[in-house]
Amino acid sequence: MHDVPPHRLLDRRLLLFTGKGGVGKSTVVAGLAVEAARRGRQPLVVELGHRASMRGIFEAEDVGYEPTDVGRGVFACNLEFQRTLVDYMVEHVRVPRVAQTILANEALARFFRAAPAVGEVATLNKISSLVAERSRGAPRWDPVLVDLDATGHALMLLNLPRVMDGLVGNGPMRRLMDGFSALLTDPARTVLNLVTLPSELPAQETVELWGRLRVEHEVPVGALFVNQVPSLPIDDELFELLGPLRDRAEAALAGDGDAARMGAEVVAGVELTRRLLLKRERAQAQIDRLRTDVPLPLVQIDQLATGYLDLEHIARLGRRAVQDLEALSG
Amino acid sequence: MADGPAPATDSLERLLLDKDLLVAVGPGGVGKTTISAAMALQAARMGRNTLVLTIDPARRLAQALGLDGLDDAVQEVSVQALTDAGVDVRGKLYAAMLDTGTSFDTLMARIAPNPQVERSILDNRVYRAMAGTLAQSHAYVAMERLYEVMGDERFDLVILDTPPTRNALDILDAPGALTSFLEENVVKWFVRPRTGLAGRLWSTGSFATTRLLSAVMGPELVAEMTSFFESFYELREGFSERADRARAYLRHPRTAFVMVSSADPANLGDAKNLADGIRGRGVEIEATVFNRCYEPFGDDRLAVITEVDPCPADEVVDTLWPTAKERGRVKQLVEGLARVQARTAAINARAQRSMAAFQLPGRAARVLVARLDHDIRDLQGLAELSPWLCPDR
């Protein structure tokens, strides 16, 4: 595995993202795409099949198989299985119309859907094509960001050339697999990034994934993004006053209407703040653990101040993340 | 499973008391495994002998359930462990892990009509390469396990935690899909009939397909797959029968699907897609559990506070701590507390709006579970969820 300078993340042609289900990969991918566009690039976000996160995040009408303009200078596409298979066959089978007709056969379609490896071959084929696509003498998409879905399935995809190695001869299939391998292991073109949360299960899975990547794979690994890092809108140095303030608030509970009401409010405020402080401490402990066990450049993405993410926040999040990455290299 | 119509359900409690099988579905990372285990404990508390089939529980939770991670055998959670955790349980609680890693091999062993067939499959290079990745295999393994435990007299209720498949609908599609995969008119293109005329006809009929597949997968792989299918073909009857049984359990009136999600719009989007897909396959979701969906504060932990009305900080300091030496700092802290509460209330309000927008057709029960202070990693933690799961008890 090669050492990939973190600040040049966006210079790569192909950015892959993986992480446990639910850690917010889509948000990170969207944020980085918006920032890439803001810097004058032409990013394409690729989602696989059944996921539809980009449509929701960018509030777009529909994200289809063909790259769709979703605003903010970002394009997105959704690689639905059937069409990637058709594309693959049209590209690699001599008689395209025959391929199309046979694919229209229900039974065969079901077979391919259930058959091992076929989906992965078709997906890698489409991703390769998108990376190779050119327009006016330059790469059309710059970069291609792929939301690889949960860890297990990402590994399946990355594993494919190796899995197929013993099973392909020396014909066109071999050349195709070699092409995939070359792309996936080339640090100049491709980088795999991990996304996680600062909590036990995702962190554990990230450490395990790192272990496997180091041993089993030659895919260049870039950065580790830690999402939803808790933060509190109170200066740390004020926390020593929490105890004394609470004592006085509690004393007021026995008293008259207004004082008792204020006392109750402050007691509730202190208790909530203490609980959130504990959560922040635990999250920081997980981050420390990740820094130790996963020696990758680590970028923290703060939890939102006011509810859930909208596009503005995502844009800011992406900008800050790239800035932090650049700072890490300096 | 018992015969007879299903009674009307309007609460999770009713589902835990009346159903024979609960299937927990939902997007990844929302705490489905924890909620499945918590529901199982709750059912056991209410007197039902319950088995929870879990996927990948966190190590400490697995240990608490008596699972050592070494195999997928059913373990009874000891009465002593429950007593120690301060949990009063009238029924028995069992747990088992669904080990999707080795299970496909175990499955082959169970289904193969004889050791030769089993060996030829397990040794086949295609199978070896693909066993873990066979599309939908995780879901299929879950179905096989389900088929096994539903016949076990020990359990009044089985709660099935579903695996993180690439497409969460695999759980409903898996039995049928694998059968399709082996379907007569597809696999027969590979499988050589034993005798004469049929054999010659086979060669002719499948030639075009084999050429097509060779173009797709390469001729060597097609040869391996042919050999793979010849072995697999022997198993198809077994698969078919088990697939039918699994399908029947999933669609039985005494089975209920429970959706577990967070209140995060991204997760709710996935949950909505999943619910639509499940509905499209003729199955209704009967309860939705919104896990970790609000931050509790104030006296009532079951209340979802979405607005606060703090007093001005100056007044608060004057009333509660007029003698403060560092009045400025105290005031800053009071303002900070108000900001924390306001932000928390706003997040809760946003969560509530997202949840309100997530409506399922029918009479699905809705359960809101708060964010607790800590990760749940033992029986006591699971028991803490009780007031949210069954508020009327």
Side-chain angles (χ1 to χ4, degrees):
Chain A
M1 199 133 26
H2 303 262
D3 199 2
V4 177
H7 68 281
R8 292 185 51 226
L9 198 76
L10 294 181
D11 286 349
R12 298 282 170 322
R13 304 299 328 291
L14 178 61
L15 307 186
L16 307 171
F17 295 83
T18 189
K20 188 177 183 348
V23 300
K25 281 184 300 303
S26 308
T27 310
V28 174
V29 171
L32 292 175
V34 172
E35 178 59 13
R38 198 190 67 84
R39 290 175 177 224
R41 295 166 180 275
Q42 177 65 282
L44 170 66
V45 176
V46 176
E47 270 186 313
L48 303 183
H50 58 285
R51 298 302 306 281
S53 306
M54 292 305 141
R55 194 175 85 190
I57 290 174
F58 286 93
E59 285 159 32
E61 276 286 309
D62 192 23
V63 174
Y65 185 77
E66 297 305 330
T68 312
D69 188 341
V70 291
R72 299 263 181 161
V74 175
F75 279 67
C77 66
N78 198 285
L79 299 190
E80 183 265 316
F81 172 81
Q82 191 73 356
R83 288 194 62 177
T84 51
L85 190 59
V86 167
D87 264 8
Y88 172 76
M89 304 202 69
V90 163
E91 217 177 307
H92 294 277
V93 174
R94 288 301 132 91
V95 190
R97 229 173 305 127
V98 169
Q100 293 255 21
T101 311
I102 291 180
L103 278 174
N105 178 311
E106 258 304 311
L108 244 190
R110 277 203 299 273
F111 170 78
F112 279 135
R113 191 174 294 277
V118 175
E120 281 78 17
V121 170
T123 301
L124 278 179
N125 184 63
K126 183 64 181 174
I127 291 175
S128 292
S129 301
L130 289 167
V131 169
E133 196 178 331
R134 295 179 81 76
S135 158
R136 291 195 289 256
R140 174 87 175 85
W141 305 113
D142 161 42
V144 175
L145 303 97
V146 184
D147 186 352
L148 264 185
D149 223 357
T151 319
H153 303 118
L155 285 177
M156 241 174 7
L157 204 66
L158 297 176
N159 246 342
L160 184 77
R162 221 170 40 115
V163 159
M164 297 293 273
D165 197 46
L167 295 169
V168 297
N170 276 310
M173 198 61 171
R174 156 72 59 189
R175 285 196 285 282
L176 192 64
M177 289 296 129
D178 284 352
F180 293 162
S181 273
L183 172 62
L184 290 178
T185 59
D186 180 357
R189 286 186 288 169
T190 300
V191 69
L192 173 68
N193 304 284
L194 313 185
V195 184
T196 190
L197 290 174
S199 57
E200 185 178 354
L201 277 183
Q204 178 58 33
E205 195 170 298
T206 303
V207 171
E208 283 165 10
L209 174 59
W210 167 251
R212 292 177 65 175
L213 286 171
R214 258 182 26 182
V215 171
E216 294 178 6
H217 292 269
E218 289 181 18
V219 181
V221 187
L224 171 61
F225 294 90
V226 184
N227 214 359
Q228 297 202 39
V229 177
S231 68
L232 281 155
I234 302 182
D235 265 337
D236 277 11
E237 62 95 15
L238 294 173
F239 290 132
E240 61 180 358
L241 294 172
L242 275 176
L245 178 59
R246 190 192 196 284
D247 290 341
R248 278 162 183 76
E250 209 166 319
L253 291 175
D256 78 77
D258 273 352
R261 187 165 67 86
M262 285 185 207
E265 208 172 87
V266 168
V267 167
V270 169
E271 279 172 2
L272 174 61
T273 301
R274 276 184 170 156
R275 291 215 314 273
L276 295 176
L277 263 174
L278 261 176
K279 288 187 190 183
R280 189 179 74 172
E281 258 173 50
R282 274 197 292 267
Q284 279 306 322
Q286 289 298 335
I287 292 174
D288 290 340
R289 186 241 172 133
L290 284 166
R291 277 194 209 284
T292 313
D293 294 343
V294 182
L296 292 174
L298 193 151
V299 175
Q300 293 187 31
I301 297 173
D302 281 348
Q303 203 171 49
L304 246 235
T306 57
Y308 294 112
L309 295 170
D310 59 23
L311 210 39
E312 266 319 310
H313 283 116
I314 289 180
R316 273 206 289 281
L317 168 169
R319 186 167 176 171
R320 172 93 184 270
V322 178
Q323 278 170 351
D324 286 352
L325 266 176
E326 288 172 338
L328 279 174
S329 74
Chain B
M1 285 183 96
D3 283 326
T9 60
D10 53 6
S11 72
L12 183 62
E13 184 176 335
R14 272 262 70 82
L15 294 178
L16 292 172
L17 287 171
D18 295 340
K19 297 292 182 179
D20 296 347
L21 170 63
L22 291 190
V23 184
V25 294
V30 297
K32 208 161 15 104
T33 299
T34 306
I35 292 292
S36 298
M39 289 195 295
L41 178 61
Q42 184 64 29
R45 290 175 93 174
M46 299 193 297
R48 305 197 77 200
N49 298 327
T50 308
L51 165 70
V52 58
L53 260 179
T54 61
I55 314 295
D56 253 351
R59 195 170 308 125
R60 264 170 287 192
L61 183 60
Q63 279 168 357
L65 292 170
L67 304 171
D68 57 13
L70 294 177
D71 61 28
D72 59 4
V74 173
Q75 303 289 348
E76 182 180 342
V77 178
S78 76
V79 177
Q80 189 60 56
L82 290 161
T83 311
D84 289 347
V87 185
D88 178 28
V89 169
R90 294 192 288 125
K92 295 192 184 177
L93 177 62
Y94 299 86
M97 262 177 50
L98 185 60
D99 176 12
T100 56
T102 59
S103 287
F104 221 81
D105 282 3
T106 320
L107 173 59
M108 290 299 118
R110 273 204 281 268
I111 292 188
N114 60 61
Q116 285 76 22
V117 172
E118 180 193 341
R119 194 78 260 140
S120 72
I121 287 181
L122 295 187
D123 286 347
N124 182 281
R125 288 203 299 162
V126 169
Y127 174 80
R128 280 266 59 84
M130 309 303 185
T133 72
L134 193 68
Q136 300 166 321
S137 65
H138 293 189
Y140 194 79
V141 165
M143 286 300 95
E144 281 291 328
R145 200 69 203 283
L146 181 69
Y147 168 84
E148 206 179 281
V149 301
M150 290 309 291
D152 194 322
E153 294 283 305
R154 290 178 290 175
F155 317 125
D156 300 326
L157 169 64
V158 172
I159 298 186
L160 174 66
D161 177 19
T162 52
T165 54
R166 195 173 9 182
N167 178 358
L169 289 164
D170 285 350
I171 205 71
L172 279 168
D173 290 345
L178 197 50
T179 317
S180 296
F181 185 48
L182 300 172
E183 204 161 279
E184 299 284 324
N185 60 347
V186 174
V187 173
K188 74 174 181 182
W189 286 329
F190 287 91
V191 176
R192 278 180 262 269
R194 301 286 168 224
T195 53
L197 179 62
R200 290 200 292 279
L201 282 176
W202 170 84
S203 306
T204 326
S206 69
F207 182 61
T209 313
T210 318
R211 251 184 65 185
L212 172 66
L213 288 168
S214 292
V216 177
M217 299 161 124
E220 295 83 3
L221 185 51
V222 170
E224 287 273 351
M225 291 205 80
T226 301
S227 152
F228 171 64
F229 279 122
E230 284 184 324
S231 313
F232 233 71
Y233 194 67
E234 310 246 356
L235 307 181
R236 79 195 183 291
E237 259 177 48
F239 272 125
S240 206
E241 187 211 318
R242 294 160 92 89
D244 288 343
R245 297 273 201 113
R247 254 195 292 257
Y249 284 133
L250 291 177
R251 282 167 166 68
H252 198 281
R254 298 188 78 84
T255 292
F257 275 64
V258 177
M259 169 75 70
V260 183
S261 176
S262 69
D264 183 312
N267 280 329
L268 285 175
D270 282 336
K272 186 71 178 31
N273 276 355
L274 181 53
D276 288 344
I278 287 176
R279 189 142 209 272
R281 283 155 177 73
V283 174
E284 295 292 343
I285 308 265
E286 293 189 52
T288 304
V289 177
F290 299 97
N291 196 24
R292 297 191 213 119
C293 66
Y294 71 96
E295 187 73 50
F297 60 109
D299 291 324
D300 181 5
R301 308 252 293 159
L302 293 178
V304 182
I305 297 177
T306 55
E307 268 185 68
V308 288
D309 184 19
C311 307
D314 277 315
E315 272 182 49
V316 173
V317 182
D318 287 340
T319 309
L320 297 181
W321 201 346
T323 59
K325 288 203 180 67
E326 297 175 287
R327 191 202 157 77
R329 288 179 77 216
V330 175
K331 183 178 168 190
Q332 275 185 327
L333 180 58
V334 171
E335 284 168 340
L337 296 183
R339 271 198 299 277
V340 169
Q341 288 184 292
R343 189 177 80 171
T344 307
I347 291 175
N348 285 352
R350 183 77 182 254
Q352 211 165 51
R353 283 197 295 278
S354 300
M355 289 188 282
F358 180 86
Q359 289 293 346
L360 295 174
R363 292 168 311 173
R366 292 165 79 90
V367 177
L368 273 61
V369 179
R371 252 176 241 134
L372 298 192
D373 292 346
H374 43 265
D375 285 338
I376 293 176
R377 45 177 65 124
D378 54 28
L379 295 170
Q380 202 167 7
L382 292 177
E384 274 180 53
L385 294 177
S386 226
W388 284 279
L389 295 180
C390 294
D392 298 327
R393 286 228 137 214

